Amino acid sequence: MNLIEDLNWRYAVKKYNSEKVSEEKVNNILHAINLSASSCGLQPYRVFAVSNEELKAKLGANSFNGQIADSSHLLVFAAYNSVTTEHVQNLTSLMAEERGVPESALQDFFISIDSYFKTRTDEQNKLWAEKQTYIALGTALIAAANEKVDSTPMEGFDPALFDELLGLQELDLHSTVILSLGYRDHESDYLANLKKVRIPLDEMVTRID
Ligand SMILES: Cc1cc2nc3c(=O)[nH]c(=O)nc-3n(C[C@H](O)[C@H](O)[C@H](O)COP(=O)(O)O)c2cc1C
């Protein structure tokens, strides 16, 4: 299947059947998320993949989205509350290791990134980190469609409840957006057979040649 066919096939599923997504497919989706672009390459977020039934039920308690509990797997995207020197140092060390260069060769890189984030408020950096999670969400949506796994991106959840149940505060993280994975229930999902609705391409795009 080509990319456009994959994207036409996917939709935000409202009702899942009970089939579970294989670990191989979940791992491929997580791998794709890990390969997402992020500003400065800092990847200022973490992803939690929840398949525990009891925990999914608790996470879905305050939400109108039954997909939280009914999905096979639930991916929770959680951004860091702040950008610290430690984050920049960790990336610099990883780059040195992965590329086989001494850390001293990356000193200019470290200083420019570290000092840039220090010119901004924690609130600005937090917002920046949240934006990066949405890039990861986009990658995950495409990866899931490519794996023929259904999914639902959701902002309709209780972030305070998620943060508490997943212990995110202690990790200096907060939940921003979630993606459920599973397989559509063809019979009871009212969206399953409806045409996808998008504004015309030439209304969305202005070409400047
Ligand atoms: C950031 C974001 C948040 C969303 N939140 C919800 C949600 O809480 N519940 C839900 O059923 N769908 C949610 N959606 C799905 C959108 O309604 C859906 O993507 C949109 O209507 C386009 O339709 P399609 O994805 O089925 O093609 C969300 C989508 C995005 C990108």
Side-chain angles (χ1 to χ4, degrees):
M1 233 206 258
N2 73 26
L3 178 63
I4 299 299
E5 284 172 350
D6 288 346
L7 295 178
N8 263 313
W9 172 84
R10 68 145 296 279
Y11 71 98
V13 165
K14 299 294 179 239
K15 187 87 186 96
Y16 290 103
N17 64 25
S18 57
E19 193 183 340
K20 300 293 173 200
V21 180
S22 71
E23 280 309 301
E24 188 193 355
K25 284 180 182 286
V26 173
N27 282 338
N28 285 341
I29 295 164
L30 294 172
H31 194 170
I33 292 169
N34 184 246
L35 289 170
S36 293
S38 65
S39 179
C40 301
L42 269 169
Q43 298 178 281
Y45 56 85
R46 294 294 178 261
V47 179
F48 295 78
V50 183
S51 57
N52 181 284
E53 297 297 335
E54 204 181 320
L55 181 56
K56 277 192 286 125
K58 283 184 185 166
L59 290 167
N62 296 344
S63 173
F64 58 88
N65 282 307
Q67 305 97 311
I68 295 173
D70 295 345
S71 60
S72 164
H73 291 70
L74 184 70
L75 305 187
V76 180
F77 296 83
Y80 277 105
N81 299 328
S82 57
V83 180
T84 64
T85 294
E86 195 186 343
H87 290 141
V88 184
Q89 181 55 60
N90 288 344
L91 174 62
T92 309
S93 301
L94 183 64
M95 277 174 115
E97 192 186 314
E98 293 285 309
R99 292 179 175 163
V101 294
E103 243 178 87
S104 55
L106 298 171
Q107 194 61 9
D108 287 352
F109 169 83
F110 169 77
I111 291 170
S112 67
I113 306 278
D114 190 46
S115 54
Y116 170 69
F117 283 101
K118 284 200 169 80
T119 64
R120 295 147 45 98
T121 64
D122 276 348
E123 204 48 45
Q124 285 174 314
N125 289 337
K126 183 178 164 193
L127 189 61
W128 166 85
E130 289 171 355
K131 288 180 186 172
Q132 311 309 312
T133 66
Y134 281 77
I135 298 170
L137 172 74
T139 307
L141 280 164
I142 297 165
N146 182 251
E147 291 288 338
K148 275 279 184 167
V149 169
D150 280 307
S151 67
T152 319
M154 288 173 275
E155 287 178 316
F157 68 99
D158 180 349
L161 178 69
F162 270 59
D163 293 358
E164 188 197 322
L165 291 174
L166 296 172
L168 297 187
Q169 234 166 8
E170 296 83 72
L171 300 170
D172 200 34
L173 291 165
H174 63 285
S175 51
T176 58
V177 68
I178 60 177
L179 182 73
S180 57
L181 302 174
Y183 293 101
R184 64 189 72 174
D185 183 332
H186 287 276
E187 273 77 51
S188 55
D189 189 342
Y190 75 95
L191 274 177
N193 298 311
L194 292 184
K195 189 175 186 293
K196 193 175 275 299
V197 178
R198 290 295 190 269
I199 57 172
L201 195 55
D202 61 2
E203 192 179 319
M204 172 178 269
V205 178
T206 302
R207 287 181 180 271
I208 304 170
D209 297 323

